[in-house]
Amino acid sequence: MQGDFRLGDWLVQPALCRLSKDGRTVQVRAKVMDLLAYLAGRAGEVIPKDRLLDDVWGSQAISESALTRTVTELRQALGDDAEQPRLLETIPKRGYRLIGPVAPVPEAANPPASGQPRRVSTRTKAVLAAAAVAIALLLGVAGWAWRGSGANVVPLTLAVLPFDSLGNDPEHEYLADGFTEETTAALSMIDPDHLVVKSSRSTMRYKRTTKSPAEIGRELTADYLVVSTVRVEGERVRVISNLIRVRDQAQVWSKSYDQEPTSILGLQRDLSIAIAQEFSRRLSPERLSALTRRQPQNAEAYVLYLSGRGFANQATAIANAQAARHYQKALALDPTYALPLAGLAFNYTAGLLNGDAEPAVMRPLAQDAEKRALQADPDLAEVQGSLGYVAFLIDWDWAAEAALRRATELDPHYALARRMLGVLLSHTYRHAEAAASMQQAIDLEPLEAINHAIASQVAFQARNYDRAVEHANQALSLDPKFWIGFMQLGQVYEREHKTDLALEALSNAERISGGNSKTISTRGYSLAKAGKTKEARDLLRTLETRSRRQYVPPYAMALVNAGLDEPEAAFTWLDRAYKARDVHLIFLTVDPKWDPYRDDPRFKALLKRCGFTMNH
């Protein structure tokens, strides 16, 4: 249903994601409102679950559990009871039906906000894309007024909150998210020595939040917040940004960007002149060049890149495939666009770990994408970060460290590069350096579960099991359904001989991940070490049977055999893993589960064949 409407006693305002009744207002997530508006347009009709997933989520790769959670959120917002529904009814094994009375609100009684935008055009998409860097730089100019100058200035921490799209067009919402990310990336380059910028992955969870700036600032440990709105009116873009000081919630300044350009190239030319004039004394030519290079040359390619990045962040096999398709579509429009090329290289490589993809398939794809990314722009942090990731996981090249360090130099606030660097340092037994790099990633993205989960892995490999448990529990407190958090917790509990807790955590990891080989093999290993050999062999047979119809990392079978104390079988599978270039062999250098094998000449010979170095 388009426009505002009433559902029973509730006034529903889709454009604002707001429900109101009896003087009380409830804010809901955009997807919750999308679901409600969709059902309201078909009130009384039973809508099957698969149809809801297709029509409300579109091409997004999600599971049915996401629909269930969204329905639960909607019921909570409406104060409805699933057992005795007044508004929303569940039809078992079929779907959902809105049973409350629905009535549109006449426009005269509730007029739309001024200048409610029409569907965004390609030119407007490009305007938003081109303006992102400019807004960041304008914010940076003003930032100098409150940061001050001098050698003894204490670094301040800034967080860019999600840009609020004023309108109900989903494409505007989508681009507002991209605006947030690009502004954050640009701001992070302005003055890394004096201004720390929180990553957009940490701030996105505050989209449409009801929390105060003081609460957000406290959670993010930020001194200042940038709060912005975007409105698209035909071809005109209006952005208003406010700088809020957290300690007293004072508005320090406000900037607006309001223009209807005659051409994208004209806009970019005008902005570049203004930026050069404003920053000639404050920003090095190198940083200015890096900022302008991030501007997309093709509006549609930019939109596709943002979509691909959104899928990639889900870190599942299905989402990886969706991300790759969007990146490829972006490159079909602009073959030299560095960011989707780097995204492809990273995505293909990550699939080896989070999707059990086959190295023989992914390796040439990742290497080709990385080669093209380097040709397009070797001086982007994302390009250097993906170079290091590919070199480490696919090429088993410890020299990947240089690329990861280069990525952190190009963008000191690039948390992903800090995290990857921490992992590499851990695998070369530089545990103190690894822990420090992981802490830097956590400081930049304190609310990202993946950072805490990987910090748990790093602590586990350092044999600091208490710290590993703390990090794993923190990951799960941030995301109770994060399979990697359960995986880390399970392997630590196995080392501490807490068998029941280990098996429970690993079973959760296996279920949530959809059967990732790491969860199954680690559970098999744990069963074997606990003396439950029959159950361990059953899992081993499950993996071997699966491997006859699809690729299963040979390392998985090797690990279970190692737990069963059957070294001949373990080395047979490790040899197969080497021939397959199984990415999981990187764990041989440092994983405690392989400690009993470290003095075996065959183990040492395998490490040498792989080219792994161990500095301990």
Side-chain angles (χ1 to χ4, degrees), residues 281-455:
R281 299 185 306 276
R282 301 183 178 97
L283 195 63
S284 70
E286 292 79 11
R287 292 196 181 279
L288 183 59
S289 175
L291 287 171
T292 55
R293 284 200 311 273
R294 293 188 64 87
Q295 295 189 47
Q297 301 302 310
N298 183 292
E300 292 182 53
Y302 175 66
V303 173
L304 288 163
Y305 164 67
L306 293 178
S307 177
R309 189 167 55 185
F311 280 113
N313 289 340
Q314 297 177 35
T316 67
I318 295 175
N320 287 344
Q322 293 276 23
R325 280 194 287 272
H326 282 78
Y327 289 145
Q328 288 161 349
K329 288 180 180 178
L331 292 168
L333 296 171
D334 186 352
T336 62
Y337 192 2
L339 290 176
L341 284 167
L344 265 183
F346 188 93
N347 190 62
Y348 289 141
T349 306
L352 300 174
L353 287 172
N354 61 40
D356 284 338
E358 187 171 0
V361 176
M362 292 299 162
R363 187 182 188 194
L365 294 174
Q367 290 173 330
D368 177 68
E370 184 56 39
K371 179 181 178 181
R372 292 168 60 195
L374 286 168
Q375 290 172 343
D377 195 336
D379 293 324
L380 281 181
E382 290 87 346
V383 171
Q384 287 295 319
S386 63
L387 172 63
Y389 196 55
V390 170
F392 176 42
L393 292 182
I394 288 185
D395 299 331
W396 297 343
D397 183 359
W398 272 202
E401 179 180 343
L404 295 176
R405 291 195 182 278
R406 176 60 177 154
T408 64
E409 292 170 1
L410 290 167
D411 184 355
H413 303 127
Y414 187 26
L416 179 58
R418 300 279 183 188
R419 186 172 77 228
M420 292 187 295
L421 178 60
V423 172
L424 186 148
L425 292 169
S426 173
H427 281 261
T428 55
Y429 269 79
R430 286 177 283 172
H431 295 307
E433 291 180 73
S437 190
M438 288 307 309
Q439 189 58 52
Q440 289 172 328
I442 290 172
D443 290 343
L444 289 168
E445 296 180 339
L447 302 181
E448 279 299 312
I450 184 64
N451 287 335
H452 296 277
I454 301 304

Side-chain angles (χ1 to χ4, degrees), residues 117-132 165 169 171-176 179 230-239 257 259-264 267 296 298-300 302-303 306:
R118 304 189 305 272
R119 188 162 188 78
V120 68
S121 68
T122 298
R123 189 166 66 140
T124 300
K125 293 176 187 177
V127 171
L128 286 174
S165 176
D169 191 313
E171 286 201 60
H172 295 176
E173 195 74 35
Y174 186 18
L175 287 168
F179 227 138
V230 182
R231 182 185 294 280
V232 181
E233 302 173 1
E235 297 301 320
R236 193 175 189 83
V237 179
R238 181 174 177 79
V239 177
Y257 174 90
Q259 189 173 347
E260 184 174 0
T262 57
S263 73
I264 301 308
L267 169 66
N298 183 292
E300 292 182 53
Y302 175 66
V303 173
L306 293 178

Side-chain angles (χ1 to χ4, degrees), residues 94 204 440:
R94 292 186 62 191
M204 276 299 184
Q440 289 172 328

Side-chain angles (χ1 to χ4, degrees), residues 97-109:
R97 177 172 62 180
L98 202 65
I99 58 176
V102 175
V105 174
E107 291 189 12

Side-chain angles (χ1 to χ4, degrees), residues 62-75:
I62 65 163
S63 64
E64 188 176 303
S65 62
L67 171 60
T68 303
R69 289 195 301 271
T70 305
V71 169
T72 299
E73 284 186 56
L74 177 55
R75 281 202 172 105

Side-chain angles (χ1 to χ4, degrees), residues 132 135-143 146 157-164 179-180 183-184 187-188 190 195-198 203 206 209 213 216-217 220 222-229 239-246 250-255:
I135 294 300
L137 289 171
L138 290 173
L139 295 177
V141 172
W146 51 263
T157 304
L158 177 75
V160 180
L161 296 189
F163 278 59
D164 187 9
F179 227 138
T180 307
T183 301
T184 301
L187 273 170
S188 70
I190 288 174
L195 184 64
V196 176
V197 182
K198 294 292 182 180
T203 61
Y206 294 104
T209 185
I216 299 171
L220 290 173
D223 300 302
Y224 290 84
L225 304 176
V226 176
V227 182
S228 307
T229 61
V239 177
I240 299 177
S241 292
N242 300 287
L243 184 68
I244 307 297
R245 187 167 54 215
V246 170
Q251 178 177 300
V252 178
W253 54 257
S254 179
K255 288 280 182 180

